[in-house]
PDB file of all heavy atoms in Angstrom:
ATOM      1  N   ALA A   1     -29.927  28.420 -82.119  1.00  0.00           N
ATOM      2  CA  ALA A   1     -29.992  28.752 -80.700  1.00  0.00           C
ATOM      3  C   ALA A   1     -28.890  29.720 -80.290  1.00  0.00           C
ATOM      4  O   ALA A   1     -29.077  30.530 -79.378  1.00  0.00           O
ATOM      5  CB  ALA A   1     -29.904  27.470 -79.872  1.00  0.00           C
ATOM      6  N   PHE A   2     -27.746  29.639 -80.962  1.00  0.00           N
ATOM      7  CA  PHE A   2     -26.610  30.476 -80.595  1.00  0.00           C
ATOM      8  C   PHE A   2     -26.139  31.285 -81.802  1.00  0.00           C
ATOM      9  O   PHE A   2     -26.249  30.836 -82.945  1.00  0.00           O
ATOM     10  CB  PHE A   2     -25.454  29.621 -80.070  1.00  0.00           C
ATOM     11  CG  PHE A   2     -25.782  28.840 -78.829  1.00  0.00           C
ATOM     12  CD1 PHE A   2     -26.091  27.485 -78.907  1.00  0.00           C
ATOM     13  CD2 PHE A   2     -25.811  29.465 -77.590  1.00  0.00           C
ATOM     14  CE1 PHE A   2     -26.400  26.776 -77.770  1.00  0.00           C
ATOM     15  CE2 PHE A   2     -26.124  28.759 -76.448  1.00  0.00           C
ATOM     16  CZ  PHE A   2     -26.428  27.408 -76.527  1.00  0.00           C
ATOM     17  N   PRO A   3     -25.620  32.457 -81.549  1.00  0.00           N
ATOM     18  CA  PRO A   3     -25.137  33.284 -82.659  1.00  0.00           C
ATOM     19  C   PRO A   3     -23.813  32.759 -83.219  1.00  0.00           C
ATOM     20  O   PRO A   3     -23.074  32.047 -82.535  1.00  0.00           O
ATOM     21  CB  PRO A   3     -24.939  34.664 -82.013  1.00  0.00           C
ATOM     22  CG  PRO A   3     -24.615  34.352 -80.586  1.00  0.00           C
ATOM     23  CD  PRO A   3     -25.443  33.139 -80.245  1.00  0.00           C
ATOM     24  N   VAL A   4     -23.539  33.129 -84.457  1.00  0.00           N
ATOM     25  CA  VAL A   4     -22.218  32.878 -85.038  1.00  0.00           C
ATOM     26  C   VAL A   4     -21.283  33.955 -84.510  1.00  0.00           C
ATOM     27  O   VAL A   4     -21.558  35.146 -84.618  1.00  0.00           O
ATOM     28  CB  VAL A   4     -22.278  32.912 -86.575  1.00  0.00           C
ATOM     29  CG1 VAL A   4     -20.870  32.823 -87.168  1.00  0.00           C
ATOM     30  CG2 VAL A   4     -23.147  31.776 -87.095  1.00  0.00           C
ATOM     31  N   TYR A   5     -20.157  33.517 -83.937  1.00  0.00           N
ATOM     32  CA  TYR A   5     -19.222  34.440 -83.280  1.00  0.00           C
ATOM     33  C   TYR A   5     -17.881  34.431 -84.003  1.00  0.00           C
ATOM     34  O   TYR A   5     -17.343  33.363 -84.322  1.00  0.00           O
ATOM     35  CB  TYR A   5     -19.024  34.031 -81.822  1.00  0.00           C
ATOM     36  CG  TYR A   5     -17.878  34.726 -81.122  1.00  0.00           C
ATOM     37  CD1 TYR A   5     -18.022  36.004 -80.588  1.00  0.00           C
ATOM     38  CD2 TYR A   5     -16.641  34.077 -80.968  1.00  0.00           C
ATOM     39  CE1 TYR A   5     -16.974  36.634 -79.938  1.00  0.00           C
ATOM     40  CE2 TYR A   5     -15.587  34.702 -80.313  1.00  0.00           C
ATOM     41  CZ  TYR A   5     -15.762  35.974 -79.802  1.00  0.00           C
ATOM     42  OH  TYR A   5     -14.717  36.588 -79.155  1.00  0.00           O
ATOM     43  N   VAL A   6     -17.347  35.613 -84.255  1.00  0.00           N
ATOM     44  CA  VAL A   6     -16.011  35.754 -84.833  1.00  0.00           C
ATOM     45  C   VAL A   6     -15.276  36.855 -84.086  1.00  0.00           C
ATOM     46  O   VAL A   6     -15.846  37.924 -83.835  1.00  0.00           O
ATOM     47  CB  VAL A   6     -16.075  36.098 -86.337  1.00  0.00           C
ATOM     48  CG1 VAL A   6     -14.708  36.576 -86.841  1.00  0.00           C
ATOM     49  CG2 VAL A   6     -16.522  34.895 -87.148  1.00  0.00           C
ATOM     50  N   PHE A   7     -14.028  36.586 -83.727  1.00  0.00           N
ATOM     51  CA  PHE A   7     -13.156  37.618 -83.175  1.00  0.00           C
ATOM     52  C   PHE A   7     -11.946  37.754 -84.095  1.00  0.00           C
ATOM     53  O   PHE A   7     -11.284  36.765 -84.414  1.00  0.00           O
ATOM     54  CB  PHE A   7     -12.695  37.274 -81.754  1.00  0.00           C
ATOM     55  CG  PHE A   7     -11.904  38.384 -81.099  1.00  0.00           C
ATOM     56  CD1 PHE A   7     -12.560  39.375 -80.389  1.00  0.00           C
ATOM     57  CD2 PHE A   7     -10.515  38.448 -81.228  1.00  0.00           C
ATOM     58  CE1 PHE A   7     -11.845  40.412 -79.802  1.00  0.00           C
ATOM     59  CE2 PHE A   7      -9.794  39.478 -80.647  1.00  0.00           C
ATOM     60  CZ  PHE A   7     -10.462  40.467 -79.930  1.00  0.00           C
ATOM     61  N   ALA A   8     -11.656  38.979 -84.524  1.00  0.00           N
ATOM     62  CA  ALA A   8     -10.533  39.257 -85.410  1.00  0.00           C
ATOM     63  C   ALA A   8      -9.452  40.008 -84.633  1.00  0.00           C
ATOM     64  O   ALA A   8      -9.616  41.193 -84.341  1.00  0.00           O
ATOM     65  CB  ALA A   8     -10.989  40.071 -86.610  1.00  0.00           C
ATOM     66  N   PRO A   9      -8.344  39.356 -84.273  1.00  0.00           N
ATOM     67  CA  PRO A   9      -7.258  40.049 -83.559  1.00  0.00           C
ATOM     68  C   PRO A   9      -6.624  41.117 -84.450  1.00  0.00           C
ATOM     69  O   PRO A   9      -6.306  40.853 -85.620  1.00  0.00           O
ATOM     70  CB  PRO A   9      -6.261  38.926 -83.249  1.00  0.00           C
ATOM     71  CG  PRO A   9      -7.042  37.661 -83.386  1.00  0.00           C
ATOM     72  CD  PRO A   9      -8.056  37.926 -84.447  1.00  0.00           C
ATOM     73  N   TYR A  10      -6.420  42.287 -83.899  1.00  0.00           N
ATOM     74  CA  TYR A  10      -5.883  43.399 -84.684  1.00  0.00           C
ATOM     75  C   TYR A  10      -4.487  43.104 -85.225  1.00  0.00           C
ATOM     76  O   TYR A  10      -4.179  43.410 -86.389  1.00  0.00           O
ATOM     77  CB  TYR A  10      -5.846  44.660 -83.820  1.00  0.00           C
ATOM     78  CG  TYR A  10      -5.338  45.878 -84.541  1.00  0.00           C
ATOM     79  CD1 TYR A  10      -6.090  46.482 -85.549  1.00  0.00           C
ATOM     80  CD2 TYR A  10      -4.104  46.430 -84.226  1.00  0.00           C
ATOM     81  CE1 TYR A  10      -5.627  47.601 -86.221  1.00  0.00           C
ATOM     82  CE2 TYR A  10      -3.621  47.551 -84.884  1.00  0.00           C
ATOM     83  CZ  TYR A  10      -4.388  48.130 -85.877  1.00  0.00           C
ATOM     84  OH  TYR A  10      -3.920  49.234 -86.547  1.00  0.00           O
ATOM     85  N   GLU A  11      -3.639  42.501 -84.420  1.00  0.00           N
ATOM     86  CA  GLU A  11      -2.265  42.229 -84.841  1.00  0.00           C
ATOM     87  C   GLU A  11      -2.212  41.239 -85.988  1.00  0.00           C
ATOM     88  O   GLU A  11      -1.265  41.244 -86.773  1.00  0.00           O
ATOM     89  CB  GLU A  11      -1.436  41.712 -83.664  1.00  0.00           C
ATOM     90  CG  GLU A  11      -1.148  42.756 -82.597  1.00  0.00           C
ATOM     91  CD  GLU A  11      -0.335  43.925 -83.140  1.00  0.00           C
ATOM     92  OE1 GLU A  11       0.556  43.686 -83.990  1.00  0.00           O
ATOM     93  OE2 GLU A  11      -0.583  45.064 -82.724  1.00  0.00           O
ATOM     94  N   ASP A  12      -3.223  40.396 -86.113  1.00  0.00           N
ATOM     95  CA  ASP A  12      -3.244  39.416 -87.192  1.00  0.00           C
ATOM     96  C   ASP A  12      -3.716  40.015 -88.515  1.00  0.00           C
ATOM     97  O   ASP A  12      -3.364  39.502 -89.584  1.00  0.00           O
ATOM     98  CB  ASP A  12      -4.174  38.251 -86.841  1.00  0.00           C
ATOM     99  CG  ASP A  12      -3.620  37.375 -85.733  1.00  0.00           C
ATOM    100  OD1 ASP A  12      -2.460  37.596 -85.333  1.00  0.00           O
ATOM    101  OD2 ASP A  12      -4.347  36.481 -85.259  1.00  0.00           O
ATOM    102  N   TYR A  13      -4.508  41.066 -88.443  1.00  0.00           N
ATOM    103  CA  TYR A  13      -5.147  41.581 -89.656  1.00  0.00           C
ATOM    104  C   TYR A  13      -4.665  42.959 -90.092  1.00  0.00           C
ATOM    105  O   TYR A  13      -4.908  43.356 -91.228  1.00  0.00           O
ATOM    106  CB  TYR A  13      -6.671  41.615 -89.469  1.00  0.00           C
ATOM    107  CG  TYR A  13      -7.285  40.244 -89.480  1.00  0.00           C
ATOM    108  CD1 TYR A  13      -7.436  39.529 -88.294  1.00  0.00           C
ATOM    109  CD2 TYR A  13      -7.684  39.654 -90.666  1.00  0.00           C
ATOM    110  CE1 TYR A  13      -7.981  38.257 -88.296  1.00  0.00           C
ATOM    111  CE2 TYR A  13      -8.228  38.383 -90.683  1.00  0.00           C
ATOM    112  CZ  TYR A  13      -8.379  37.687 -89.502  1.00  0.00           C
ATOM    113  OH  TYR A  13      -8.904  36.425 -89.509  1.00  0.00           O
ATOM    114  N   LYS A  14      -4.010  43.702 -89.232  1.00  0.00           N
ATOM    115  CA  LYS A  14      -3.609  45.052 -89.611  1.00  0.00           C
ATOM    116  C   LYS A  14      -2.598  44.990 -90.756  1.00  0.00           C
ATOM    117  O   LYS A  14      -1.822  44.047 -90.883  1.00  0.00           O
ATOM    118  CB  LYS A  14      -3.006  45.792 -88.420  1.00  0.00           C
ATOM    119  CG  LYS A  14      -1.642  45.279 -87.980  1.00  0.00           C
ATOM    120  CD  LYS A  14      -1.060  46.165 -86.891  1.00  0.00           C
ATOM    121  CE  LYS A  14       0.338  45.703 -86.493  1.00  0.00           C
ATOM    122  NZ  LYS A  14       0.951  46.575 -85.475  1.00  0.00           N
ATOM    123  N   ARG A  15      -2.644  46.015 -91.604  1.00  0.00           N
ATOM    124  CA  ARG A  15      -1.756  46.074 -92.749  1.00  0.00           C
ATOM    125  C   ARG A  15      -1.130  47.447 -92.860  1.00  0.00           C
ATOM    126  O   ARG A  15      -1.681  48.441 -92.374  1.00  0.00           O
ATOM    127  CB  ARG A  15      -2.521  45.731 -94.038  1.00  0.00           C
ATOM    128  CG  ARG A  15      -2.940  44.269 -94.131  1.00  0.00           C
ATOM    129  CD  ARG A  15      -1.735  43.354 -94.132  1.00  0.00           C
ATOM    130  NE  ARG A  15      -2.086  41.948 -94.223  1.00  0.00           N
ATOM    131  CZ  ARG A  15      -2.255  41.151 -93.178  1.00  0.00           C
ATOM    132  NH1 ARG A  15      -2.128  41.642 -91.962  1.00  0.00           N
ATOM    133  NH2 ARG A  15      -2.554  39.881 -93.345  1.00  0.00           N
ATOM    134  N   ASN A  16       0.033  47.492 -93.504  1.00  0.00           N
ATOM    135  CA  ASN A  16       0.751  48.738 -93.685  1.00  0.00           C
ATOM    136  C   ASN A  16       0.193  49.469 -94.899  1.00  0.00           C
ATOM    137  O   ASN A  16       0.774  49.451 -95.992  1.00  0.00           O
ATOM    138  CB  ASN A  16       2.249  48.462 -93.872  1.00  0.00           C
ATOM    139  CG  ASN A  16       3.050  49.740 -93.980  1.00  0.00           C
ATOM    140  OD1 ASN A  16       2.631  50.789 -93.493  1.00  0.00           O
ATOM    141  ND2 ASN A  16       4.195  49.661 -94.628  1.00  0.00           N
ATOM    142  N   SER A  17      -0.962  50.080 -94.730  1.00  0.00           N
ATOM    143  CA  SER A  17      -1.602  50.819 -95.813  1.00  0.00           C
ATOM    144  C   SER A  17      -2.226  52.089 -95.246  1.00  0.00           C
ATOM    145  O   SER A  17      -2.436  52.213 -94.042  1.00  0.00           O
ATOM    146  CB  SER A  17      -2.675  49.965 -96.494  1.00  0.00           C
ATOM    147  OG  SER A  17      -3.766  49.742 -95.617  1.00  0.00           O
ATOM    148  N   GLN A  18      -2.520  53.008 -96.133  1.00  0.00           N
ATOM    149  CA  GLN A  18      -3.035  54.303 -95.688  1.00  0.00           C
ATOM    150  C   GLN A  18      -4.385  54.174 -95.004  1.00  0.00           C
ATOM    151  O   GLN A  18      -4.636  54.807 -93.982  1.00  0.00           O
ATOM    152  CB  GLN A  18      -3.134  55.246 -96.884  1.00  0.00           C
ATOM    153  CG  GLN A  18      -3.545  56.670 -96.497  1.00  0.00           C
ATOM    154  CD  GLN A  18      -3.482  57.609 -97.679  1.00  0.00           C
ATOM    155  OE1 GLN A  18      -3.021  57.249 -98.747  1.00  0.00           O
ATOM    156  NE2 GLN A  18      -3.947  58.826 -97.481  1.00  0.00           N
ATOM    157  N   VAL A  19      -5.259  53.355 -95.567  1.00  0.00           N
ATOM    158  CA  VAL A  19      -6.603  53.242 -94.992  1.00  0.00           C
ATOM    159  C   VAL A  19      -6.543  52.593 -93.606  1.00  0.00           C
ATOM    160  O   VAL A  19      -7.272  52.990 -92.691  1.00  0.00           O
ATOM    161  CB  VAL A  19      -7.535  52.462 -95.936  1.00  0.00           C
ATOM    162  CG1 VAL A  19      -7.114  51.006 -96.066  1.00  0.00           C
ATOM    163  CG2 VAL A  19      -8.984  52.551 -95.465  1.00  0.00           C
ATOM    164  N   TRP A  20      -5.635  51.610 -93.403  1.00  0.00           N
ATOM    165  CA  TRP A  20      -5.495  50.995 -92.089  1.00  0.00           C
ATOM    166  C   TRP A  20      -4.863  51.965 -91.099  1.00  0.00           C
ATOM    167  O   TRP A  20      -5.187  51.941 -89.907  1.00  0.00           O
ATOM    168  CB  TRP A  20      -4.673  49.706 -92.174  1.00  0.00           C
ATOM    169  CG  TRP A  20      -5.496  48.518 -92.542  1.00  0.00           C
ATOM    170  CD1 TRP A  20      -5.802  48.079 -93.793  1.00  0.00           C
ATOM    171  CD2 TRP A  20      -6.137  47.612 -91.635  1.00  0.00           C
ATOM    172  NE1 TRP A  20      -6.596  46.957 -93.726  1.00  0.00           N
ATOM    173  CE2 TRP A  20      -6.806  46.639 -92.418  1.00  0.00           C
ATOM    174  CE3 TRP A  20      -6.191  47.522 -90.244  1.00  0.00           C
ATOM    175  CZ2 TRP A  20      -7.537  45.597 -91.846  1.00  0.00           C
ATOM    176  CZ3 TRP A  20      -6.911  46.486 -89.672  1.00  0.00           C
ATOM    177  CH2 TRP A  20      -7.585  45.531 -90.473  1.00  0.00           C
ATOM    178  N   SER A  21      -3.952  52.806 -91.566  1.00  0.00           N
ATOM    179  CA  SER A  21      -3.329  53.798 -90.690  1.00  0.00           C
ATOM    180  C   SER A  21      -4.332  54.862 -90.249  1.00  0.00           C
ATOM    181  O   SER A  21      -4.317  55.306 -89.100  1.00  0.00           O
ATOM    182  CB  SER A  21      -2.155  54.463 -91.404  1.00  0.00           C
ATOM    183  OG  SER A  21      -1.132  53.530 -91.682  1.00  0.00           O
ATOM    184  N   ASN A  22      -5.196  55.267 -91.170  1.00  0.00           N
ATOM    185  CA  ASN A  22      -6.152  56.341 -90.871  1.00  0.00           C
ATOM    186  C   ASN A  22      -7.386  55.849 -90.122  1.00  0.00           C
ATOM    187  O   ASN A  22      -7.950  56.578 -89.300  1.00  0.00           O
ATOM    188  CB  ASN A  22      -6.587  57.024 -92.166  1.00  0.00           C
ATOM    189  CG  ASN A  22      -5.463  57.797 -92.827  1.00  0.00           C
ATOM    190  OD1 ASN A  22      -4.471  58.124 -92.184  1.00  0.00           O
ATOM    191  ND2 ASN A  22      -5.610  58.083 -94.105  1.00  0.00           N
ATOM    192  N   TYR A  23      -7.836  54.633 -90.420  1.00  0.00           N
ATOM    193  CA  TYR A  23      -9.092  54.131 -89.841  1.00  0.00           C
ATOM    194  C   TYR A  23      -8.916  52.711 -89.298  1.00  0.00           C
ATOM    195  O   TYR A  23      -9.594  51.778 -89.741  1.00  0.00           O
ATOM    196  CB  TYR A  23     -10.200  54.147 -90.894  1.00  0.00           C
ATOM    197  CG  TYR A  23     -10.339  55.460 -91.613  1.00  0.00           C
ATOM    198  CD1 TYR A  23      -9.867  55.624 -92.908  1.00  0.00           C
ATOM    199  CD2 TYR A  23     -10.940  56.561 -90.990  1.00  0.00           C
ATOM    200  CE1 TYR A  23      -9.985  56.837 -93.573  1.00  0.00           C
ATOM    201  CE2 TYR A  23     -11.064  57.775 -91.644  1.00  0.00           C
ATOM    202  CZ  TYR A  23     -10.586  57.903 -92.931  1.00  0.00           C
ATOM    203  OH  TYR A  23     -10.697  59.093 -93.592  1.00  0.00           O
ATOM    204  N   PRO A  24      -8.031  52.516 -88.334  1.00  0.00           N
ATOM    205  CA  PRO A  24      -7.761  51.155 -87.861  1.00  0.00           C
ATOM    206  C   PRO A  24      -8.970  50.492 -87.208  1.00  0.00           C
ATOM    207  O   PRO A  24      -9.193  49.289 -87.396  1.00  0.00           O
ATOM    208  CB  PRO A  24      -6.628  51.350 -86.849  1.00  0.00           C
ATOM    209  CG  PRO A  24      -6.746  52.779 -86.413  1.00  0.00           C
ATOM    210  CD  PRO A  24      -7.220  53.523 -87.624  1.00  0.00           C
ATOM    211  N   ASN A  25      -9.747  51.258 -86.450  1.00  0.00           N
ATOM    212  CA  ASN A  25     -10.905  50.649 -85.787  1.00  0.00           C
ATOM    213  C   ASN A  25     -11.983  50.244 -86.789  1.00  0.00           C
ATOM    214  O   ASN A  25     -12.592  49.177 -86.684  1.00  0.00           O
ATOM    215  CB  ASN A  25     -11.486  51.588 -84.729  1.00  0.00           C
ATOM    216  CG  ASN A  25     -11.809  52.961 -85.286  1.00  0.00           C
ATOM    217  OD1 ASN A  25     -11.389  53.345 -86.391  1.00  0.00           O
ATOM    218  ND2 ASN A  25     -12.559  53.744 -84.525  1.00  0.00           N
ATOM    219  N   ALA A  26     -12.217  51.081 -87.800  1.00  0.00           N
ATOM    220  CA  ALA A  26     -13.224  50.750 -88.810  1.00  0.00           C
ATOM    221  C   ALA A  26     -12.804  49.537 -89.635  1.00  0.00           C
ATOM    222  O   ALA A  26     -13.632  48.668 -89.961  1.00  0.00           O
ATOM    223  CB  ALA A  26     -13.461  51.948 -89.734  1.00  0.00           C
ATOM    224  N   MET A  27     -11.525  49.437 -89.963  1.00  0.00           N
ATOM    225  CA  MET A  27     -11.059  48.337 -90.805  1.00  0.00           C
ATOM    226  C   MET A  27     -11.100  47.000 -90.073  1.00  0.00           C
ATOM    227  O   MET A  27     -11.531  45.990 -90.647  1.00  0.00           O
ATOM    228  CB  MET A  27      -9.643  48.626 -91.299  1.00  0.00           C
ATOM    229  CG  MET A  27      -9.556  49.788 -92.274  1.00  0.00           C
ATOM    230  SD  MET A  27     -10.638  49.591 -93.718  1.00  0.00           S
ATOM    231  CE  MET A  27      -9.914  48.133 -94.472  1.00  0.00           C
ATOM    232  N   ILE A  28     -10.667  46.962 -88.813  1.00  0.00           N
ATOM    233  CA  ILE A  28     -10.696  45.685 -88.101  1.00  0.00           C
ATOM    234  C   ILE A  28     -12.141  45.267 -87.824  1.00  0.00           C
ATOM    235  O   ILE A  28     -12.461  44.078 -87.831  1.00  0.00           O
ATOM    236  CB  ILE A  28      -9.868  45.761 -86.787  1.00  0.00           C
ATOM    237  CG1 ILE A  28      -9.654  44.361 -86.218  1.00  0.00           C
ATOM    238  CG2 ILE A  28     -10.505  46.686 -85.772  1.00  0.00           C
ATOM    239  CD1 ILE A  28      -8.896  43.421 -87.134  1.00  0.00           C
TER     240      ILE A  28
END
C-alpha cells in the first residue's frame, strides 16, 4: 500500500574523493 522510503543526508554520506567532489548530486 505504501512505498519504501529512504532519505540519505548529504553530510552523512559525502566523502573526500574526486567523484564526490565533481558529482555530489549524482552520488548522493
Side-chain angles (χ1 to χ4, degrees):
F2 298 101
V4 173
Y5 168 82
V6 166
F7 186 88
Y10 181 70
E11 290 298 323
D12 290 353
Y13 288 90
K14 70 174 183 178
R15 290 298 180 267
N16 184 24
S17 68
Q18 185 174 353
V19 67
W20 275 87
S21 296
N22 292 341
Y23 310 104
N25 54 346
M27 292 304 296
I28 192 61

